[in-house]
């Protein structure tokens, strides 16, 4: 896989407020990278810097090896949707796409292709955007991001305003796009959707990356859960073997060792076990809340900073 988005030691300050604090990560081709964080955590600011809309205080962000501003006709390389409501309210959806196609120099036939792809009917395409629902604006924004046939997508909260069928549609669209070799950086507070679609996950809190890795790594099961007929003796035996055991609700222990290692210790000391299983996997939502609990609405965020 080829690295398509590279963020290195990115920092952005607004006066005394640090919106993004020494953030580094990479997004690879053929993958969906999920960017998670509460409001004000730094997601949108980071994505705006990548898209060349906000200058960083320090650090760098490159797309396919270049700063966004240095890419010729960038919309044919990178599709961006940062705010579905930031579209000309007085134009129709079809007009917005026609203007984009003309600006990029792509065939006008792409307009009808994109409208069909995002399921905006001819009647809806001829309505003025001020009369669109948020979900319709999201669909139009995704169409606009894809009209130049880019190989990289940067989408900030694209599921906002979509109904369950729309979310399923978007998830299928982005999964197919990545499976064809595209690169997707997707921010969302809808943790379940990220858990379903993302290959790599970034969690940001107070402007810093607090967790990152593959979905399997972040959702991996933790240690072992064990109960015995003599928990006191079991605790002593585990301790002598260098295994840390934490008392668990309902009796027994959770450990940082594998079930196999715990079972060997119990067998060697003749302790009868009544429960031995892998530890509970850390669900993404639980992990997300734990890692960001100190960042949620604790302090005011300057207007326009997310």
């Amino acid at each position: 896989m080829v690295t398509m988005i590279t963020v290195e030691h990115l920092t952005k300050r607004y006066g005394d407020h640090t919106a993004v604090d020494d953030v580094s990560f990479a997004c690879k081709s053929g993958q969906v990278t999920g960017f998670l964080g509460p409001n004000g955590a730094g997601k949108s600011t980071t994505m705006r810097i990548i898209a060349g809309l906000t200058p960083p205080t320090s650090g760098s962000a490159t797309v396919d090896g270049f700063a966004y501003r240095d890419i010729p006709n960038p919309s044919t390389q990178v599709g961006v949707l940062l705010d579905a409501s930031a579209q000309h309210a007085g134009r129709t959806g079809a007009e917005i796409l026609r203007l984009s196609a003309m600006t990029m120099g792509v065939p006008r036939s792409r307009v009808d292709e994109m409208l069909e792809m995002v399921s905006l009917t001819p009647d809806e395409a001829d309505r003025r955007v001020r009369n669109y629902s948020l979900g319709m604006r999201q669909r139009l924004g995704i169409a606009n991001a894809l009209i130049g046939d880019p190989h990289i997508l940067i989408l900030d909260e694209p599921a906002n305003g979509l109904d369950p069928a729309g979310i399923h549609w978007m998830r299928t669209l982005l999964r197919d796009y990545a499976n064809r070799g595209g690169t997707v950086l997707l921010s969302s507070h809808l943790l379940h959707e990220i858990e379903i679609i993302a290959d790599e996950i970034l969690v940001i809190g107070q402007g810093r990356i607090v967790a990152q890795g593959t979905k399997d790594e972040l959702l991996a099961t933790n240690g072992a859960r064990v109960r015995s007929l003599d928990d006191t003796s079991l605790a002593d035996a585990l301790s002598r073997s260098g295994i840390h055991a934490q008392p668990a609700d309902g009796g027994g222990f959770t450990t940082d060792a594998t079930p196999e290692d715990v079972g060997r210790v119990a067998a060697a000391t003749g302790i009868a076990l009544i429960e031995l299983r892998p530890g509970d996997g850390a669900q993404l939502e639980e992990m997300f809340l734990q890692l960001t609990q100190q960042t949620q609405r604790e302090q005011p965020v300057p207007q326009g900073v997310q």
Side-chain angles (χ1 to χ4, degrees), residues 108-188:
R108 187 165 172 170
S109 60
R110 288 285 292 172
V111 173
D112 290 335
E113 291 174 16
M114 293 301 98
L115 289 169
E116 182 177 356
M117 185 190 68
V118 301
S119 300
L120 286 175
T121 67
D123 175 66
E124 291 168 337
D126 288 336
R127 290 185 208 168
R128 300 197 184 278
V129 170
R130 68 166 60 94
N131 299 317
Y132 276 20
S133 66
L134 178 55
M136 290 170 65
R137 293 183 191 209
Q138 292 285 21
R139 289 175 182 268
L140 178 62
I142 292 173
N144 210 20
L146 286 170
I147 196 168
D149 197 21
H151 55 278
I152 299 168
L153 281 179
I154 299 173
L155 308 174
D156 192 8
E157 300 280 2
N160 277 357
L162 294 178
D163 59 19
I167 291 174
H168 176 76
W169 161 81
M170 184 197 69
R171 186 169 67 227
T172 302
L173 175 74
L174 298 182
R175 184 71 266 164
D176 289 346
Y177 179 88
N179 289 344
R180 295 194 305 271
T183 302
V184 181
L185 175 59
L186 167 73
S187 82
S188 179

Side-chain angles (χ1 to χ4, degrees), residues 213-260:
T214 67
K215 179 169 62 177
D216 289 342
E217 288 170 346
L218 295 183
L219 298 179
T221 55
N222 303 316
R225 174 76 163 82
V226 61
R227 283 194 301 150
S228 75
L229 294 177
D230 187 349
D231 281 347
T232 300
S233 296
L234 177 61
D236 290 341
L238 292 172
S239 178
R240 290 195 302 270
S241 298
I243 295 175
H244 175 71
Q246 181 74 26
D249 292 339
F253 306 96
T254 57
T255 79
D256 54 6
T258 66
E260 291 80 3

Side-chain angles (χ1 to χ4, degrees), residues 30-208:
Q31 290 190 340
V32 176
T33 299
F35 200 19
L36 289 171
N39 291 334
K43 302 187 306 298
S44 294
T45 301
T46 300
M47 298 176 98
R48 287 180 61 84
I49 292 172
I50 296 171
L53 297 174
T54 297
T57 302
S58 61
S60 65
T62 58
V63 182
D64 204 5
F66 299 93
Y68 185 90
R69 65 179 178 274
D70 295 329
I71 302 173
N73 200 0
S75 295
T76 61
Q77 308 298 316
V78 188
V80 178
L81 174 59
L82 299 183
D83 184 356
S85 294
Q87 302 177 81
H88 197 300
R91 292 196 174 113
T92 68
E95 286 172 344
I96 287 174
L97 294 183
R98 283 197 291 268
L99 283 169
S100 292
M102 183 173 61
T103 302
M104 296 176 201
V106 301
R108 187 165 172 170
S109 60
R110 288 285 292 172
V111 173
D112 290 335
E113 291 174 16
M114 293 301 98
L115 289 169
E116 182 177 356
M117 185 190 68
V118 301
S119 300
L120 286 175
T121 67
D123 175 66
E124 291 168 337
D126 288 336
R127 290 185 208 168
R128 300 197 184 278
V129 170
R130 68 166 60 94
N131 299 317
Y132 276 20
S133 66
L134 178 55
M136 290 170 65
R137 293 183 191 209
Q138 292 285 21
R139 289 175 182 268
L140 178 62
I142 292 173
N144 210 20
L146 286 170
I147 196 168
D149 197 21
H151 55 278
I152 299 168
L153 281 179
I154 299 173
L155 308 174
D156 192 8
E157 300 280 2
N160 277 357
L162 294 178
D163 59 19
I167 291 174
H168 176 76
W169 161 81
M170 184 197 69
R171 186 169 67 227
T172 302
L173 175 74
L174 298 182
R175 184 71 266 164
D176 289 346
Y177 179 88
N179 289 344
R180 295 194 305 271
T183 302
V184 181
L185 175 59
L186 167 73
S187 82
S188 179
H189 65 277
L190 299 173
L191 307 181
H192 180 60
E193 292 306 315
I194 290 294
E195 186 175 351
I196 290 173
I197 192 175
D199 304 294
E200 297 273 341
I201 297 173
L202 310 167
V203 184
I204 189 170
Q206 288 185 322
R208 298 183 66 89

Side-chain angles (χ1 to χ4, degrees), residues 11-28:
T11 296
K12 178 62 181 179
R13 298 187 184 93
Y14 295 91
D16 294 334
H17 175 74
T18 301
V20 178
D21 188 2
D22 195 28
V23 164
S24 297
F25 62 85
C27 303
K28 298 177 181 178

